[in-house]
Amino acid sequence: MNELSTKLKKIKMLLTDVDGVLTDTGVYYSVSGEELKRFSLRDGMGVERLRELVKVKVGIVSGEKSLLVRKRAEKLDIEEIHLGAKNKIKVLKNICKERGLEYNQIAYIGDDVNDLEIIDAVGVSACPADAMKNVKEKVDIVLENIGGNGAFREFAEIIIEEKLKNKEED
């Protein structure tokens, strides 16, 4: 078993950024403010498959405060939602404390400079194919899919596959 496989086997929670991971970084504004964000339904299925197949919980950690993101999280039954998180490492610390988890039991997917500190701290990290260059250089896995177009699902399936494979070996 290689080092990445060993790390993936320990994962109990996958945390995700929103803009650039669950969305394509685009947002539609009107005179009344933020109106629309595009989410991939495949990513939503990834949340469900993680929960059902390998008992991995999902959480959202985003620097943005968005009612649209809260609604999407509620639809996916994501309980761990941290919006307006300017200090993501502090959020990680609190999640671990509240849930009795170690940093190496957390996976994270992000795409931009505000994700670098948490990427360095967690057990396994990934980014979409269109993430910023300095993020791509730091993560364990650069995914083939771009943000908002299945990147989260791709990472979820990597975790699921590895955990199921390891379950068969036990």
Side-chain angles (χ1 to χ4, degrees):
M1 186 180 316
N2 67 33
E3 184 182 352
L4 184 58
S5 294
T6 301
K7 289 179 177 183
L8 286 163
K9 185 176 181 179
K10 295 176 185 175
I11 299 304
K12 294 187 176 179
M13 177 174 271
L14 171 53
L15 298 176
T16 182
D17 182 33
V18 176
D19 295 321
V21 176
L22 297 179
T23 75
D24 59 7
T25 73
V27 62
Y28 297 91
Y29 277 93
S30 72
V31 291
S32 59
E34 181 181 85
E35 295 290 331
L36 299 169
K37 288 181 183 269
R38 182 189 165 284
F39 294 90
S40 167
L41 294 177
R42 288 188 178 143
D43 289 342
M45 179 60 76
V47 171
E48 189 176 318
R49 287 175 53 79
L50 280 166
R51 185 172 40 239
E52 291 179 5
L53 295 176
V54 293
K55 309 297 185 240
V56 169
K57 296 195 180 297
V58 173
I60 291 174
V61 182
S62 176
E64 296 293 321
K65 290 183 181 177
S66 170
L67 182 57
L68 299 172
V69 173
R70 185 166 297 283
K71 291 285 187 191
R72 182 68 177 144
E74 288 170 3
K75 178 157 178 55
L76 297 174
D77 291 325
I78 295 174
E79 299 169 19
E80 197 72 55
I81 309 165
H82 301 272
L83 303 179
K86 298 303 178 193
N87 186 341
K88 292 184 178 189
I89 198 75
K90 185 177 179 183
V91 172
L92 173 66
K93 183 178 180 181
N94 290 337
I95 290 170
C96 287
K97 183 178 179 183
E98 291 171 12
R99 293 190 175 260
L101 296 172
E102 300 293 326
Y103 286 5
N104 68 352
Q105 294 174 309
I106 306 285
Y108 184 81
I109 178 171
D111 72 307
D112 213 330
V113 294
N114 62 332
D115 298 309
L116 289 172
E117 192 174 13
I118 195 169
I119 283 169
D120 282 339
V122 296
V124 181
S125 59
C127 72
D130 61 340
M132 299 305 295
K133 181 181 178 199
N134 50 352
V135 174
K136 290 179 180 181
E137 292 169 352
K138 285 273 192 177
V139 295
D140 297 303
I141 304 167
V142 176
L143 301 162
E144 293 179 17
N145 289 300
I146 63 172
N149 288 279
F152 177 91
R153 174 69 178 273
E154 182 181 346
F155 192 30
E157 293 298 332
I158 289 168
I159 294 168
I160 291 165
E161 182 180 329
E162 199 59 45
K163 289 182 85 63
L164 289 177
K165 183 172 74 173
N166 286 318
K167 202 174 196 179
E168 292 170 5
E169 292 172 1
D170 290 342

